[in-house]
Amino acid sequence: MTSLSYCDNFIYVNSAEQIINHKGDTKMKKDIVLMSIISSLPCAVVSMIYTILPAPINGLLWCMFVGYCTTNCVGPSVKKIPNILSCYAVGVLWALAFHYGCVLFMELGLSFTISMLLSVEIVTSLLVFVHVALLQNTWANIIPLLFPSIFTIFACKADFSVYPFMILSIIIGSLTATFADPFCNLILKLKEDTPEINEDQLENE
C-alpha cells in the first residue's frame, strides 16, 4: 500500500470499495487498527485534561470537539494554523454581526422570527461574498472555519462571559487535530522502519 499521511489514510480507509479490495490484506488491517488507536490518543488526552480545568472551560469540552471535527473536515495541517486562527478571529466579528443584526431588526419592531430570518440571510450572504470575492487570497479564506465562532454565540445566547472560553476551546480542538496529524505520521513511520519478523523464520529457528 502506498505510504499515506494520517489524514489521507483516514479518508482512504473510509472508502468501502478500497476496504473490500484489500479485504485479505492483513497488513492493511493491522495498520487500520494501529491508526485508529493512535489517532484518538491526542483527543483522549486533551479530554482528560478538561476534567481538571476550572469552570467554565471544563464544561466546554463539546466546543473542543467542534474545533477538532471541523479542522479534520477541512484537512489538518500545521501550515494552516494561520488560516485557522484568522478564520476564528474573523468569525467572531461575523458572530457579532449575526447577533446585533437580529437585535437591530427587533428594535425596529419586527418579530424575533422575522428578525432572525433577515439577519441570517443578510449576514450569511455578505460573509460568503466577502470571503470568496475579496478575501480568497488571505489567511481568512476557509469559510467552514468561520462558522464555529458563529454558532457558539447562539449556543451561549450571547453570554460574553462564556463566549471567549468557547472560542478558546474551539482553538484547542483545532490545534489538537492539527498536531495529531504529524504525531500519527511519526508513529506510522516508526512502525514502517521497524523490521517485521517473518513467522516462517521463527518456526525454522
Side-chain angles (χ1 to χ4, degrees), residues 74-89:
V74 301
S77 171
V78 174
K79 293 180 180 179
K80 288 182 182 177
I81 290 179
N83 302 78
I84 292 169
L85 298 179
S86 298
C87 287
Y88 287 158

Side-chain angles (χ1 to χ4, degrees), residues 78-165:
V78 174
K79 293 180 180 179
K80 288 182 182 177
I81 290 179
N83 302 78
I84 292 169
L85 298 179
S86 298
C87 287
Y88 287 158
V90 176
V92 170
L93 300 179
W94 286 113
L96 296 174
F98 275 103
H99 172 67
Y100 288 110
C102 186
V103 171
L104 175 62
F105 287 121
M106 290 179 67
E107 289 179 349
L108 293 175
L110 299 177
S111 67
F112 174 71
T113 302
I114 299 300
S115 297
M116 182 64 72
L117 170 68
L118 293 175
S119 175
V120 172
E121 171 60 27
I122 293 171
V123 177
T124 303
S125 298
L126 286 172
L127 181 154
V128 173
F129 174 79
V130 168
H131 286 270
V132 172
L134 304 179
L135 300 178
Q136 186 61 39
N137 296 320
T138 69
W139 283 340
N141 60 352
I142 306 178
I143 292 179
L145 290 177
L146 298 169
F147 284 93
S149 298
I150 293 169
F151 62 68
T152 45
I153 201 170
F154 291 106
C156 71
K157 298 181 180 180
D159 182 350
F160 294 108
S161 65
V162 177
Y163 186 58
F165 294 101

Side-chain angles (χ1 to χ4, degrees), residues 1-10 12-13 185 188 192:
M1 186 177 71
T2 305
S3 178
L4 301 171
S5 72
Y6 151 65
C7 184
D8 290 333
N9 264 311
F10 188 79
Y12 181 80
V13 300
N185 288 336
L188 290 173
E192 290 175 359

